[in-house]
Amino acid sequence: MSDSPPKNAALTTALAFHYQVLIGLDKCFALEEGQSVWFEKDGDVSLMSPDVLTSTQTEVKDYSAPLTDHHENLWKTLKNWLAPEFCHAQYGALVLHTTQAFGTTTRLHNWNTQTVEQRLAVLTSIFAERTDEQLNTKRPSEIIKMQKSVMDTDDDLLKNVLSKVTLFTEADNAQNLEKNITAKPVGIPKNNLSSYLQGLVGFVYAQATQQSWCITQQDFAAKCEELTALLCKKEFTFPLFSGYEASDIEIEHHQERLFVQKITEIEHHEVIPDAVGNWLELQNSLLEQLDEYPLYRDKTVTYQNQLVKKYKLAHSSAQLEATDEIKSSKLLYNKIMQEQPLNMGNDLPPIEYKNGLLHDAMDDDERDLKWKVEP
């Protein structure tokens, strides 16, 4: 977010949303048993705990201009926390988390060490700078509306909220937050840290529903363990395969590829989304530079040759038993796709990896492979 109109509002919104996710993700590492992080509208991140005093709500703001006495960031946040629909009683702390530095002449510098009476006195002195003309105009500015709303609040409510407010200025920007997060895991090779971060960010996004968006300590710990087991130091790191189903656009883009044409040839159209998805996942895995990725590529070549040799034998047997060209071809395809992968050393690779390699082999004109079975 910036103080001048953005050149691309959609991009600015997306970046601010991602920043909120990173703040919440960073807080997840501090969760204790029974606690959870809630993501809310308008950039709020809440840490909820059975103990109200350890529950906090954080307003996440990414501004470039300094935090001055009359900056909207402070006043808008206070207005939100004083609103009737916000239940401040369930939080022991309210944190304004901003990338801004304090302005050189601001009276907010000592906020976090002041008593509630001193904080109120600071706000009162700032508000006193407004002239009668500014306050009574028919069309006051947005910042004056916010300031009037805050200062017109019931005194007891205002003091109660101000007593909980902490100003966390010059907070890390998105890039620094990502560095902090990837510095937390132990035992994950450097080349795998980006995948670790992407896995956690994807996990956070996946927890959002229409009703709520919450990360519990138990679920977060389980995801960290899963990613650590997947990405920790081994002979080489095996990329993640999720069983991706290709979109209509991706299918159209790849419909002229040999492996798609060979499926179309046997009229097995309904399996094409999975086939293209498996092929795409394989291609992407070969581009990832995970730990010891040259070894992964070498082993993949060897493994594919084993699969092709096994496939040729299955195709030969299918031709001996074939009675109907299309039916026999589809049965062969289904049988091969459903087969368990061959072992790769002591490990069993994902079935999507195996199937992606078969489609990749079908896409190689020199191998002269096909699904079509001719009686």
Side-chain angles (χ1 to χ4, degrees), residues 117-132:
E117 287 78 14
Q118 289 172 324
R119 294 176 181 183
L120 181 56
V122 167
L123 295 184
T124 302
S125 67
I126 293 172
F127 187 60
E129 294 177 348
R130 296 303 187 187
T131 65
D132 289 341

Side-chain angles (χ1 to χ4, degrees), residues 273-332:
D274 281 332
V276 174
N278 291 163
W279 181 83
L280 284 172
E281 281 201 286
L282 174 72
Q283 304 310 312
N284 290 335
S285 78
L286 294 170
L287 295 174
E288 285 189 78
Q289 296 190 359
L290 298 175
D291 190 48
E292 302 293 348
Y293 67 93
L295 183 57
Y296 167 69
R297 293 179 67 91
D298 291 345
K299 285 186 174 288
T300 292
V301 171
T302 302
Y303 191 78
Q304 186 180 49
N305 290 334
Q306 293 175 330
L307 291 175
V308 168
K309 188 180 292 187
K310 187 170 184 286
Y311 168 77
K312 286 181 176 178
L313 186 60
H315 185 269
S316 174
S317 298
Q319 290 208 131
L320 294 173
E321 300 170 351
T323 54
D324 179 279
E325 185 176 280
I326 296 301
K327 180 179 179 181
S328 296
S329 299
K330 288 183 176 180
L331 286 171
L332 173 65

Side-chain angles (χ1 to χ4, degrees), residues 256-262 265 279 304 308 312 357-371:
E256 298 304 320
R257 299 204 71 93
L258 269 177
F259 80 94
V260 178
Q261 292 180 15
K262 289 173 181 178
E265 184 182 31
W279 181 83
Q304 186 180 49
V308 168
K312 286 181 176 178
L357 281 173
L358 284 167
H359 294 307
D360 184 71
M362 288 284 174
D363 205 51
D364 186 346
D365 195 31
E366 293 183 4
R367 288 186 185 270
D368 194 27
L369 302 175
K370 58 183 178 180
W371 293 109

Side-chain angles (χ1 to χ4, degrees), residues 35-106:
Q35 294 184 329
S36 56
V37 168
W38 284 79
F39 294 82
E40 301 166 21
K41 64 179 182 178
D42 301 326
D44 296 351
V45 176
S46 299
L47 190 155
M48 303 302 294
S49 172
D51 180 1
V52 171
L53 292 177
T54 60
S55 295
T56 63
Q57 187 189 61
T58 304
E59 281 263 357
V60 180
K61 303 296 181 183
D62 188 5
Y63 284 91
S64 55
L67 183 60
T68 56
D69 290 348
H70 294 282
H71 196 285
E72 69 162 16
N73 193 9
L74 171 68
W75 293 95
K76 185 177 182 180
T77 300
L78 290 176
K79 179 176 177 289
N80 290 341
W81 283 333
L82 291 164
E85 60 270 19
F86 178 73
C87 183
H88 71 87
Q90 63 182 321
Y91 301 104
L94 301 170
V95 182
L96 173 57
H97 188 292
T98 179
T99 54
Q100 296 169 282
F102 281 124
T104 54
T105 61
T106 184

Side-chain angles (χ1 to χ4, degrees), residues 105-121:
T105 61
T106 184
R107 281 160 280 191
L108 302 171
H109 276 291
N110 299 316
W111 180 277
N112 292 341
T113 59
Q114 290 177 329
T115 65
V116 66
E117 287 78 14
Q118 289 172 324
R119 294 176 181 183
L120 181 56

